[in-house]
Structures are given as structure tokens and as C-alpha cells.
Amino acid sequence: MFGKYHFKMNRLECSGTSNSSEGNSRVHFKGNLFLKPEDETKFLERLSREPIQEALNNITGQFAFVIHDKSNGRVYLLRDHIGVIPFYYILMSEYLIFSTTIHEMLAHDVVDIKPNASIFHEYFAFGYIAGENTFFDGIVEVLPGYVIVVNQNGTLTTERFHHFRHKPQDLSICRKPTDSFDALFRHSFERQTWDKDTKRIGVLSSGGIDSSILVSFSRNRFGSGFPSYYIGNEGYKHNRNQEVEYLSRIFDSFHTNEIISNTKFADNLVHTITINEEPLNHPSSV
């Protein structure tokens, strides 16, 4: 998704999205809400006419939203609760530029971007950039669970629409932690794979606990023969081929090993950095 909002003209240009209109509001959307098409359409209509906090109540998924309210000349940029979909913006003198990728911004002919030298020490210390900063001066990241509000005069404010809340345990209900995990995980997994009958869904299997749980649930959800994949490195002595193949036999998946050679790693390095929007902090990203 890439777009531009002109303050004084109260005009929004946006491409690479799904969209919905309701009255004076228009919603642009990129991502996946794990909803059936008719339910997604209804939600986008709600988002264009209701307060954001109310519309987003009980909505999960991975998304970046742009809402343009022509009646008050405001634009809202929203990013999903945990930041699965990247989202960036630049606030300039006459307009706001926003995008889900930095390299699209860099291709814009009016954007003069320089490296953000103030965060180099942070990257070398931790291997990543925290908060809303990026490697480029002027390009700001929308934080997960936040909405950026831009008025027609170019004033920008930041609001949080999502808070992680701990629900106190009801001590009158004796439930094993394993039972609670099984129920919650199963509910989430089924919700995200509601379209399993129309799509072929695979599992990335690493041989660890997390992906092994996914493989186990996938067998119950998809039946035998679902795709599973392992990505290893050529010549690496700690590849987990045996573990993932054993797991595949237990849960009857159609398994494929993808082994990355030195040549393949080098050939895809620059492309991977473009996708990540910053230098790699772990070679497995490729």
C-alpha cells in the first residue's frame, strides 16, 4: 500500500488496497482479518462510520488501515495489534506520505531521505531498532496497536486503540493450564483457517516446540497430507531434518525440505533486506 494525503485540498490518493465507502468516509485496507468476505465487508463499513475504538472491538488479524473522513479533513493510519503488517509515514509541509514498505517511499521523487545516524548505535547494540524510529531520517513507523491522526492543517496526534489486559483468573474454576492453552489455541487456529476448504494451507516446521504444536493442530484441522516445510542451510551441522521428518511421519504431513546453499543465500540477500526494511539481524531471515 502506498498513498499521499494533501492537507489543504483534503484529497487522499491511495493504491494497492481494498477499500470501502460510507458517507463522507473512505477506508483503505491491506492485510487479513480472518473474516468471511461478507463479514469483512460489513466490518469495513462499520469502520467508516463508527468510532475507531468501537469498530475495532474484538477484531483480530494483521492489517494496515487508512481512513479518510472528508467531512472533517482528517486521515487515520492504523496498524494491527502486534505489528504484523509494517506501516510507515512521512509528514511533510503540504502532505502526508504513507506506505507499508519503505522502498516505495524512497522511490518517490519528492522525498529527500537521509540515513538516521542517531540510531546506528542502537542497531549495533541490540540488532534491531525499537519504537517508531527507522534507519531513515523523517520516516516514522506506526507503532502496533496505534492510530495516527492527521488534521487538514497538518497537525499530527498519536492515539492507542489497543491495550493488552490481563484477565484475573476465576479461582472457582479449576482448570489445568494445558486445557486452557488447548482451548484458546484451538479457537485462534480455527478462526485463522476458516477458509481451509478453499485454500491449501501449509506449516513451516522447525522441529521446535512452537511449530510442532502447529503441526499437531494442523493434522486435526486439515487431515492427513497437509503440506509441511523445513528450511535448513547447506553444510550446517545443526540442521533439524531428522526431527521434522519424524514429526511429519507422526502427523502424516506431506513434507518438503528446502536447503539454502551459500549461492542462494547471497543471491537473495539484497532482496531480503528490502523486505525487512533494515539490515539483517539473523541470517535465517533469508
Side-chain angles (χ1 to χ4, degrees):
M1 176 168 61
F2 177 83
K4 181 195 295 186
Y5 172 56
H6 300 259
F7 302 143
K8 296 180 180 179
M9 294 188 295
N10 192 18
R11 189 180 74 208
L12 181 76
E13 302 170 7
C14 190
S15 61
T17 65
S18 302
N19 57 73
S20 173
S21 296
E22 185 80 14
N24 289 318
S25 294
R26 189 171 185 85
V27 177
H28 297 267
F29 161 61
K30 180 177 182 179
N32 191 346
L33 298 174
F34 309 119
L35 295 173
K36 296 179 179 179
E38 58 271 23
D39 294 330
E40 182 175 296
T41 300
K42 292 178 181 178
F43 168 73
L44 293 178
E45 291 174 352
R46 284 185 56 207
L47 192 59
S48 63
R49 67 174 183 265
E50 295 182 6
I52 291 173
Q53 295 282 1
E54 295 181 15
L56 290 174
N57 189 31
N58 296 323
I59 285 293
T60 60
Q62 48 196 43
F63 54 79
F65 283 112
V66 177
I67 306 172
H68 181 207
D69 190 338
K70 292 183 179 180
S71 63
N72 58 22
R74 290 182 179 178
V75 164
Y76 304 82
L77 309 181
L78 295 84
R79 189 179 179 195
D80 63 72
H81 310 69
I82 58 176
V84 179
I85 300 292
F87 207 9
Y88 309 94
Y89 67 90
I90 306 172
L91 184 62
M92 307 187 75
S93 58
E94 297 182 4
Y95 45 81
L96 172 84
I97 295 176
F98 54 88
S99 179
T100 49
T101 62
I102 289 180
H103 66 266
E104 281 187 290
M105 289 182 165
L106 299 180
H108 202 279
D109 55 2
V110 299
V111 178
D112 182 20
I113 300 299
K114 299 179 181 179
N116 184 3
S118 64
I119 54 82
F120 286 179
H121 69 286
E122 181 179 343
Y123 178 81
F124 287 122
F126 304 112
Y128 61 89
I129 305 303
E132 62 182 11
N133 289 319
T134 69
F135 264 92
F136 302 93
D137 190 27
I139 298 182
V140 183
E141 184 173 0
V142 180
L143 294 177
Y146 276 78
V147 53
I148 306 298
V149 185
V150 184
N151 295 316
Q152 198 170 351
N153 60 8
T155 303
L156 184 149
T157 58
T158 303
E159 302 174 6
R160 189 169 186 171
F161 71 82
H162 175 72
H163 297 267
F164 286 101
R165 292 183 175 90
H166 171 67
K167 296 182 179 179
Q169 183 178 2
D170 186 349
L171 298 179
S172 65
I173 302 175
C174 295
R175 195 174 190 184
K176 294 181 180 179
T178 52
D179 293 337
S180 297
F181 174 85
D182 184 84
L184 292 170
F185 193 93
R186 189 179 303 279
H187 172 73
S188 175
F189 192 71
E190 290 176 354
R191 182 172 183 175
Q192 295 184 50
T193 58
W194 67 268
D195 54 353
K196 67 181 182 66
D197 295 329
T198 59
K199 292 182 179 178
R200 185 163 169 80
I201 303 174
V203 182
L204 185 62
S205 178
S206 69
I209 294 176
D210 298 344
S211 66
S212 297
I213 293 173
L214 279 172
V215 172
S216 170
F217 273 79
S218 297
R219 175 62 175 83
N220 294 329
R221 181 69 171 156
F222 308 133
S224 62
F226 65 93
S228 64
Y229 306 88
Y230 171 72
I231 300 177
N233 295 292
E234 186 177 72
Y236 183 54
K237 63 180 180 180
H238 298 299
N239 280 332
R240 291 182 171 180
N241 305 56
Q242 294 182 348
E243 290 92 331
V244 296
E245 289 169 1
Y246 176 69
L247 194 68
S248 174
R249 290 195 297 272
I250 292 177
F251 295 106
D252 197 20
S253 70
F254 182 78
H255 185 73
T256 302
N257 288 323
E258 177 68 31
I259 305 302
I260 307 298
S261 65
N262 292 339
T263 300
K264 185 176 289 187
F265 183 96
D267 289 345
N268 288 279
L269 181 60
V270 174
H271 181 56
T272 308
I273 293 174
T274 302
I275 294 173
N276 285 346
E277 309 289 4
E278 62 183 46
L280 299 181
N281 60 3
H282 200 286
S284 66
S285 298
V286 174

